[in-house]
Amino acid sequence: MEALRQALLVLIDETRPLVERVNLLEPGRGELAVPHLGKAKLTPILLVTYPRQYGVWNDYSERALRGMGLMPEFAPGTRLGDQYAAVNAVL
């Protein structure tokens, strides 16, 4: 529970850059990663906390972006924070 609390505090800390926050929480790679807390859960938390700044990136929104030809492409190894910043710019 403490790891989850710490992760959420980092996620919503607007004094840090978005890319840094999401990279710290990236599943399997981030030093503050919490099991089962991936983009489909992290991004709605950002939306609820800061509704004018962030959008939800999940399978549904990704399919919609791909269908409209708006989904950014990423090089292999691109970190989740960098990916989300690009997706959020489109959203």
Side-chain angles (χ1 to χ4, degrees), residues 1-13 16 20-21 24-25 31-34 37 42:
M1 187 57 83
E2 188 54 38
L4 177 59
R5 279 190 195 100
Q6 181 62 34
L8 294 175
L9 288 173
V10 166
L11 180 64
I12 64 170
D13 181 0
R16 298 172 115 163
E20 175 187 317
R21 291 181 277 152
L24 283 169
L25 303 174
E31 63 185 68
L32 299 176
V34 174
L37 194 62
L42 293 171

Side-chain angles (χ1 to χ4, degrees), residues 43-56:
T43 61
I45 293 167
L46 284 171
L47 171 73
V48 169
T49 307
Y50 304 105
R52 294 178 183 258
Q53 292 176 267
Y54 301 109
V56 173

